[in-house]
Amino acid sequence: MPATAGGTDREVTLNILLRLSRVIDAINNGVGHLTYWLVLVAVIISSGNATVRYVFNTSSNAWLELQWYLFSAIFLLCAGYTFLKNEHIRIDVVVGRFSKRVHAWIDIFGILLFLFPMAVLILVLSWPMVVSSYTIHEMSNNAGGLLRWPVKLLVPAGFGLLVLQGVSELIKRIAFLLGLIDEPGEKMHGHS
């Protein structure tokens, strides 16, 4: 390959991709940390709603739905963050005996063959539901319920963040296999 001022074209490209990976990691890290606060909000709303229900013998469908919306936001928006932190479910019993290089190859195949097709399919199929819900101003069927499009928007947003993190993890695994970084993640396969 022809050499450039900063190294070979391949090295320059990989360094650009590693910078992109760091940007994606920062986005998902930021979303993850913001989502921590949603847990607190969900707990406050849950306990407040329960207190009002038992003390005043009344309740609101809007507050119950808001709890459900917050749980959905926490679960969906943290998928990419969970992948970044390598806290997702793995089958370490099977692959735990392999070297880090074999782990990286397994991760690459898993990302390409399972994560990307599943996450992109859900993202693409969920978007028309969001648009339709927004267009018709869909409301909950429950009396006093909330708009539906915001919670439906969480599905493509969450899977979009997961796809982005998949791109980042793929870049890191390839860079690791090429010897450009020591380890592809903060916590690879359960080892600190």
Side-chain angles (χ1 to χ4, degrees):
M1 287 191 176
T4 60
T8 66
D9 286 341
R10 184 177 86 170
E11 289 170 344
V12 170
T13 301
L14 286 169
N15 284 326
I16 291 170
L17 290 174
L18 283 169
R19 279 195 295 259
L20 172 64
S21 173
R22 285 190 290 276
V23 168
I24 293 169
D25 290 353
I27 290 168
N28 270 310
N29 198 46
V31 169
H33 285 109
L34 285 174
T35 307
Y36 289 164
W37 291 102
L38 291 181
V39 174
L40 176 62
V41 171
V43 168
I44 290 169
I45 288 173
S46 253
S47 58
N49 195 30
T51 302
V52 167
R53 187 171 54 246
Y54 290 114
V55 171
F56 299 107
N57 199 27
T58 186
S59 185
S60 163
N61 286 330
W63 288 108
L64 292 171
E65 287 183 11
L66 186 57
Q67 289 172 228
W68 174 66
Y69 283 22
L70 289 169
F71 175 76
S72 300
I74 293 162
F75 179 78
L76 289 164
L77 297 178
C78 278
Y81 178 73
T82 302
F83 195 16
L84 166 67
K85 297 297 181 180
N86 201 29
E87 296 292 336
H88 56 291
I89 297 173
R90 294 185 164 276
I91 307 175
D92 284 340
V93 174
V94 176
V95 297
R97 297 182 173 115
F98 298 130
S99 70
K100 290 179 182 177
R101 290 186 66 75
V102 173
H103 282 230
W105 278 111
I106 291 170
D107 286 347
I108 288 170
F109 288 121
I111 290 167
L112 292 173
L113 298 177
F114 299 106
L115 176 79
F116 282 161
M118 176 271 310
V120 169
L121 182 65
I122 292 172
L123 193 154
V124 168
L125 292 177
S126 65
W127 186 249
M129 290 188 324
V130 175
V131 171
S132 173
S133 181
Y134 178 80
T135 303
I136 65 170
H137 303 290
E138 180 183 8
M139 295 291 293
S140 167
N141 292 332
N142 298 319
L146 303 175
L147 279 170
R148 288 287 187 199
W149 72 262
V151 76
K152 289 183 177 185
L153 181 61
L154 292 170
V155 176
F159 280 93
L161 290 168
L162 183 59
V163 167
L164 282 175
Q165 194 58 46
V167 169
S168 175
E169 298 304 318
L170 186 62
I171 291 167
K172 289 185 273 191
R173 292 333 183 257
I174 292 168
F176 169 72
L177 290 172
L178 294 174
L180 295 175
I181 60 174
D182 291 333
E183 273 200 60
E186 296 179 20
K187 180 180 166 190
M188 186 175 180
H189 309 290
H191 305 295
S192 299

